[in-house]
Amino acid sequence: MMPSRLQLTSVTVGTSRPRELARFYARLLGWPVTTEEGPEQGEPEEAGWAQIREPDGGAGLTVGFEWERCHERPVWPSEPGRQNASQHLDIKVDDLPAAVAWALECGATEAGFQPQHDVRVMLDPDGHPFCLYL
């Protein structure tokens, strides 16, 4: 029997650069970085963990970024024999061209393939796709 309450509160993205990626999404979304931890002993400088959350203690989603020792930059769209994206973030916007321009200013790149006219697939600095949509 299903419990009376199951609430999704967070999603965690595996990455080779968790603190950098948290700062990228924090700037993009206007959210604060709420947790940032450096590498454990013996790990490289880019290792660690970070988290962003809606400002003002909003009850919305928390996004975590954790270092993956064997992370491979995903390709999108997927290609045989290459690391595909296991997830992507969807970000609703009011003005698609302005949102794309802002994402580019924050450090994203626009994916070469765009499957829909009212959605823009963008790639974060570590190659994870995210979608800006109306």
Side-chain angles (χ1 to χ4, degrees), residues 75-131:
V75 295
W76 190 92
S78 63
E79 298 175 11
R82 304 275 310 272
Q83 177 62 49
N84 64 359
S86 60
Q87 82 286 316
H88 69 270
L89 302 178
D90 291 326
I91 302 170
K92 186 171 177 58
V93 301
D94 294 330
D95 180 333
L96 192 55
V100 169
W102 174 242
L104 292 170
E105 186 176 322
C106 289
T109 57
E110 196 166 351
F113 175 66
Q114 297 295 329
Q116 298 166 291
H117 74 280
D118 58 348
V119 176
R120 281 296 163 269
V121 180
M122 308 296 291
L123 304 174
D124 71 25
D126 206 22
H128 301 93
F130 64 94
C131 294

Side-chain angles (χ1 to χ4, degrees), residues 22-95:
R23 290 188 295 272
F24 164 79
Y25 280 105
R27 180 175 181 211
L28 179 73
L29 298 170
W31 292 10
V33 174
T34 56
T35 304
E36 190 170 346
E37 296 177 8
E40 298 287 327
Q41 185 174 2
E43 292 179 338
E45 175 58 34
E46 63 272 8
W49 183 81
Q51 182 180 73
I52 64 173
R53 183 175 292 163
E54 273 189 287
D56 302 325
L61 192 64
T62 297
V63 183
F65 303 89
E66 71 180 7
W67 181 66
E68 294 288 347
R69 181 177 308 277
C70 298
H71 178 77
E72 289 186 38
R73 186 179 178 97
V75 295
W76 190 92
S78 63
E79 298 175 11
R82 304 275 310 272
Q83 177 62 49
N84 64 359
S86 60
Q87 82 286 316
H88 69 270
L89 302 178
D90 291 326
I91 302 170
K92 186 171 177 58
V93 301
D94 294 330
D95 180 333

